[in-house]
Amino acid sequence: MDSYSKDKHNPSQVDGDSCHPEEIHWPSLFAAISAISAVGIAIGLGLPLLSIILEKRGISSTLIGLNSAMAGVAAMAAAPITTKLAHDFGVARTMLWAVVLAAVSALGFYYATEFWMWFPLRVGFHGATTTLFILSEFWINAAAPPRKRGLVLGIYATVLAVGFAIGPLIFSKIGSEGILPFAVGAAAIMLAFIPIYIARGENPVLDEKPQQHFLRYVFLVPMATAAVFVFGAVEVGGLSLFPVYANRVGLPEASAAQLLTIMGIGNMVFQIPFGMISDRLKDRRPMLFLMALAGLLGALALPYLIHHWWLMAGLLLVWGGCVSGLYTVGLAHLGSRLTGSDLAAANAAFVFSYAVGTVAGPQAVGVSIDLAGNNGFAWALAGFFALYVVIFIVRTVFSRQRT
């Protein structure tokens, strides 16, 4: 489907832009964007909070990492069933129940005194938030007019990034003692209930079940799902192990933290411009290719610039924008290709691919550092971008041969 010529005999391969209303459904967009932003705040607060509390309890780093990995496992498990739940119970109702489950799970960590209890809580929390991500993005894609889809998704990505940034800031102010941080996280999630409930009458309706098996959607729009896989792998693998890499090459801890902050700024400031640029393109795949190519060149440049702070800061500012742009533009590309139940299922496949990337990224980067030394960090990240470049070239050549 993602080839340059569409299969007219496959009913799933619908050009979403050809049958989409031009008006923006603002209540829907506000509900979906504000809801997922509240969840982003809670996740940004919860991830460092839970790790620090486990460390204080004397849990080993290996077990903390294993418990944290439940996030990716839960996401991969929740993605295939989310569309079915939304079809059976409705998009808004499924999201409202997911909000409640996520909030209860967030508060449950405080009362869970045994470490084993944190595993089902992680699964419940991240399974529920995965459902919210899938259905929010489907809702946004369904409500955004084709000519402004990139802009709307750029706003979504920016607001979400701000939410993730606010979470650690709140954590730095309230600390990890007592029930307060857990209550704040649960309250932030419950705030998402309000806009979803208000706009429940505007939520998209899934009258039909998806026409393909769930895994088929991973390959139906491969330039989108491959983009988000690379994004997940580089984002989580890079952020998780950049402090280790920086320390091993002799970069002061404060300087490393500042560089990560600059990369985060790049994540935020480029998404709306990238989204607006993508709206002017008939085909977003060349833009995805150029961002992956920029990511590849930037990753290869890391070992040569790591000791030149200002050059490194400039690189990471643009590089961070290109990395996150794979998510934003990839999601817009997805929305331009499919509609209805197929779009909802494809959104689930999109988030599933992201979850696989978040599991594969840290493992690949860690192994690469162990095998190849410090430069293995950059080479592993470059490898993910190179994979996308190769997929694009192969599919382009294959598509031209078919036509």
Side-chain angles (χ1 to χ4, degrees), residues 82-83 86-88 91 135 138 204-209 340-342 344:
T82 293
T83 307
H87 175 269
D88 293 342
V91 173
L135 296 183
F138 164 61
V205 178
L206 298 178
D207 293 326
E208 299 179 356
K209 291 185 178 180
S341 297
D342 289 315

Side-chain angles (χ1 to χ4, degrees), residues 6-181:
K6 296 178 185 176
D7 183 356
K8 296 181 181 179
H9 300 288
N10 189 338
S12 293
Q13 295 180 11
V14 177
D15 188 340
D17 289 353
S18 66
C19 54
H20 200 291
E22 288 299 321
E23 69 274 8
I24 297 178
H25 296 283
W26 289 110
S28 295
L29 293 176
F30 178 78
I33 292 176
S34 60
I36 207 61
S37 299
V39 173
I41 294 173
I43 294 175
L45 166 63
L47 290 180
L49 170 67
L50 298 180
S51 296
I52 286 179
I53 289 177
L54 288 179
E55 185 176 1
K56 287 182 177 179
R57 292 183 181 181
I59 304 297
S60 69
S61 298
T62 300
L63 288 177
I64 293 175
L66 180 62
N67 186 249
S68 300
M70 291 298 102
V73 173
M76 286 186 280
I81 65 172
T82 293
T83 307
K84 185 179 186 306
L85 292 173
H87 175 269
D88 293 342
F89 302 105
V91 173
R93 182 177 295 181
T94 302
M95 291 178 69
L96 291 173
W97 278 109
V99 166
V100 173
L101 176 58
V104 170
S105 300
L107 196 58
F109 285 106
Y110 174 75
Y111 294 101
T113 56
E114 299 294 330
F115 177 58
W116 67 265
M117 298 178 181
W118 283 44
F119 285 88
L121 285 172
R122 284 270 196 183
V123 172
F125 178 79
H126 288 285
T129 54
T130 296
T131 296
L132 288 169
F133 274 107
I134 291 170
L135 296 183
S136 291
E137 290 172 357
F138 164 61
W139 198 344
I140 292 168
N141 248 328
R147 294 180 182 177
K148 295 183 179 178
R149 179 176 281 116
L151 169 62
V152 169
L153 291 172
I155 294 172
Y156 160 75
T158 302
V159 175
L160 181 60
V162 171
F164 276 119
I166 291 175
L169 179 62
I170 295 175
F171 174 68
S172 69
K173 299 297 182 182
I174 64 178
S176 61
E177 298 298 326
I179 195 175
L180 179 61

Side-chain angles (χ1 to χ4, degrees), residues 62-316:
T62 300
L63 288 177
I64 293 175
L66 180 62
N67 186 249
S68 300
M70 291 298 102
V73 173
M76 286 186 280
I81 65 172
T82 293
T83 307
K84 185 179 186 306
L85 292 173
H87 175 269
D88 293 342
F89 302 105
V91 173
R93 182 177 295 181
T94 302
M95 291 178 69
L96 291 173
W97 278 109
V99 166
V100 173
L101 176 58
V104 170
S105 300
L107 196 58
F109 285 106
Y110 174 75
Y111 294 101
T113 56
E114 299 294 330
F115 177 58
W116 67 265
M117 298 178 181
W118 283 44
F119 285 88
L121 285 172
R122 284 270 196 183
V123 172
F125 178 79
H126 288 285
T129 54
T130 296
T131 296
L132 288 169
F133 274 107
I134 291 170
L135 296 183
S136 291
E137 290 172 357
F138 164 61
W139 198 344
I140 292 168
N141 248 328
R147 294 180 182 177
K148 295 183 179 178
R149 179 176 281 116
L151 169 62
V152 169
L153 291 172
I155 294 172
Y156 160 75
T158 302
V159 175
L160 181 60
V162 171
F164 276 119
I166 291 175
L169 179 62
I170 295 175
F171 174 68
S172 69
K173 299 297 182 182
I174 64 178
S176 61
E177 298 298 326
I179 195 175
L180 179 61
F182 297 94
V184 169
I189 295 172
M190 285 306 299
L191 285 175
F193 194 97
I194 299 172
I196 297 173
Y197 184 80
I198 292 174
R200 67 191 184 283
E202 295 253 351
N203 79 120
V205 178
L206 298 178
D207 293 326
E208 299 179 356
K209 291 185 178 180
Q211 300 180 33
Q212 307 283 340
H213 185 274
F214 168 77
L215 289 178
R216 178 75 176 93
Y217 288 94
V218 175
F219 303 100
L220 193 62
V221 192
M223 299 315 299
T225 52
V228 77
F229 167 79
V230 173
F231 167 74
V234 172
E235 181 197 42
V236 177
L239 289 178
S240 299
L241 292 167
F242 183 77
V244 175
Y245 169 67
N247 179 66
R248 290 190 179 185
V249 298
L251 198 67
E253 184 175 319
S255 296
Q258 290 168 355
L259 289 173
L260 284 178
T261 300
I262 289 172
M263 189 170 75
I265 293 173
N267 291 346
M268 289 186 286
V269 301
F270 281 98
Q271 299 320 300
I272 292 177
F274 281 169
M276 295 176 69
I277 292 172
S278 77
D279 284 335
R280 296 178 176 272
L281 302 176
K282 184 178 180 180
D283 189 343
R284 292 180 171 90
R285 284 169 291 187
M287 184 175 181
L288 288 168
F289 167 75
L290 290 176
M291 287 190 292
L293 185 61
L296 170 61
L297 297 176
L300 293 175
L302 288 178
Y304 303 99
L305 301 182
I306 188 65
H307 293 296
H308 304 277
W309 195 92
W310 285 105
L311 292 176
M312 190 70 176
L315 171 67
L316 290 181

